[in-house]
Amino acid sequence: MRGTVPEIHGIIAYPITPFTADTAGIDTERLASLVDRLVSSGVHAIAPLGSTGELAYLDEPEFDTVVDTTMAAVNGRVPVIVGVSDLTTANTIRRAQYAQQAGADAVMILPVSYWKLTDREIAQHYRSIGESIDIPIMAYNNPATSGVDMSPELLVTMFDNIGNVTMVKESTGDLSRMRRIAELSDGQLPFYNGSNPLVLDALKVGASGWCTAAPNLRPQPCIDLYNAVRADDLEKAQILYDDLKPLLQFIVAGGLPTTVKAGLDLLGFPAGDPRAPLLALDEQGRAQLKQLLAG
């Protein structure tokens, strides 16, 4: 039986994970403040523990801490989609079950593997996780970071055969894939844009939302862009996109944890450095980012 899909649409904000001094632990007070700031800005959902949240560099107690802190800060005001991806199916299940117990509305799963996975292995990975939880799964396709590419055909097949797989985040930057997902599923499988520079075109072809780290730095233009497309005011949407595009390109090219943390610092909201092997943004990058944030 397919799980109930919460009302997830619009701007899905991906918070960074603030660390304490020397990146030794999670700064829970700062994280709670950032999440509250994002929710109060008007975003439509919160998605902790994606690549922006440095999930790959956290141990299990830290993962649990970020989940608990985020859920408490959101306090039911908007849906929460928790990133639970891991190299192993077993630990992805552990994380997904923890997120469900904490009250998450859905989990997001990126298939990550040292060995190249076959479609059969990918489907079984999602099936095993789906059988272990009762909340929806957002299948996340981002071969640039995971090394695993899920075709529209595979994603729709999983949607048809795995009850919890109810959403797709597409981050390849290939608009034809989104159109193909819509075509193959007869418009029944919601897809979300995960490629920041592609956002305007993706929303135009029916993306249910935009999964993005940009609201950490400029939430209102992101919200306005989504609302303009929904209102079919494409002239306004184009103006907003043209204004946002240089910032979107910069934060993606420079690495989301690195650039977003630097941007928050420049905006007077210090959030610490990213965790090694990532490095803080250099002075040249900070100067360029300062100009972009100044408009």
Side-chain angles (χ1 to χ4, degrees), residues 24-182:
I26 308 298
D27 187 339
T28 55
E29 183 176 347
R30 209 59 174 158
L31 175 59
S33 180
L34 175 62
V35 170
D36 180 68
R37 170 176 166 147
L38 285 167
V39 175
S40 298
S41 75
V43 300
H44 303 94
I46 297 290
L49 298 166
S51 53
T52 304
E54 298 180 70
L55 171 60
Y57 305 129
L58 305 184
D59 61 28
E60 294 312 291
E62 289 174 331
F63 171 91
D64 296 351
T65 295
V66 172
V67 172
D68 293 339
T69 303
T70 301
M71 295 307 305
V74 172
N75 195 27
R77 290 177 288 173
V78 296
V80 177
I81 310 166
V82 176
V84 299
S85 311
D86 188 69
L87 278 168
T88 68
T89 300
N91 202 47
T92 307
I93 287 173
R94 190 211 76 82
R95 290 175 170 182
Q97 290 176 333
Y98 191 92
Q100 176 175 297
Q101 292 164 5
D105 296 279
V107 294
M108 181 180 68
I109 300 171
L110 176 76
V112 185
S113 183
Y114 179 86
W115 296 102
K116 183 177 180 180
L117 299 177
T118 65
D119 284 0
R120 183 172 67 95
E121 289 167 331
I122 294 168
Q124 184 57 52
H125 180 63
Y126 278 94
R127 184 176 295 107
S128 297
I129 300 160
E131 290 172 351
S132 75
I133 57 175
D134 299 318
I135 57 177
I137 293 170
M138 175 182 280
Y140 176 19
N141 189 47
N142 191 352
T145 57
S146 71
V148 178
D149 191 4
M150 296 187 286
S151 68
E153 288 77 10
L154 173 60
L155 290 165
V156 174
T157 296
M158 292 197 300
F159 172 69
D160 289 338
N161 293 284
I162 303 172
N164 297 62
V165 175
T166 60
M167 301 169 279
V168 170
K169 177 185 174 185
E170 235 302 325
S171 296
T172 59
D174 183 350
L175 199 64
S176 67
R177 287 178 175 240
M178 296 185 184
R179 292 193 178 102
R180 185 67 174 153
I181 289 168

Side-chain angles (χ1 to χ4, degrees), residues 106-279:
V107 294
M108 181 180 68
I109 300 171
L110 176 76
V112 185
S113 183
Y114 179 86
W115 296 102
K116 183 177 180 180
L117 299 177
T118 65
D119 284 0
R120 183 172 67 95
E121 289 167 331
I122 294 168
Q124 184 57 52
H125 180 63
Y126 278 94
R127 184 176 295 107
S128 297
I129 300 160
E131 290 172 351
S132 75
I133 57 175
D134 299 318
I135 57 177
I137 293 170
M138 175 182 280
Y140 176 19
N141 189 47
N142 191 352
T145 57
S146 71
V148 178
D149 191 4
M150 296 187 286
S151 68
E153 288 77 10
L154 173 60
L155 290 165
V156 174
T157 296
M158 292 197 300
F159 172 69
D160 289 338
N161 293 284
I162 303 172
N164 297 62
V165 175
T166 60
M167 301 169 279
V168 170
K169 177 185 174 185
E170 235 302 325
S171 296
T172 59
D174 183 350
L175 199 64
S176 67
R177 287 178 175 240
M178 296 185 184
R179 292 193 178 102
R180 185 67 174 153
I181 289 168
E183 175 189 350
L184 290 171
S185 69
D186 293 324
Q188 296 304 301
L189 174 54
F191 60 90
Y192 299 76
N193 174 60
S195 172
N196 281 304
L198 189 70
V199 57
L200 180 55
D201 288 336
L203 291 174
K204 285 180 180 178
V205 300
S208 296
W210 175 19
C211 302
T212 177
N216 288 280
L217 305 178
R218 295 193 65 194
Q220 197 58 54
C222 298
I223 297 166
D224 290 345
L225 172 58
Y226 172 73
N227 288 336
V229 175
R230 289 196 74 183
D232 203 30
D233 189 346
L234 298 185
E235 182 177 353
K236 180 179 179 180
Q238 185 68 56
I239 292 169
L240 288 162
Y241 173 73
D242 289 342
D243 177 59
L244 274 172
K245 186 177 179 180
L247 176 64
L248 299 178
Q249 292 175 326
F250 182 89
I251 63 175
V252 171
L256 293 172
T258 295
T259 54
V260 173
K261 285 187 171 182
L264 284 168
D265 185 53
L266 290 168
L267 292 172
F269 190 93
D273 291 333
R275 181 168 278 177
L278 300 179
L279 295 175

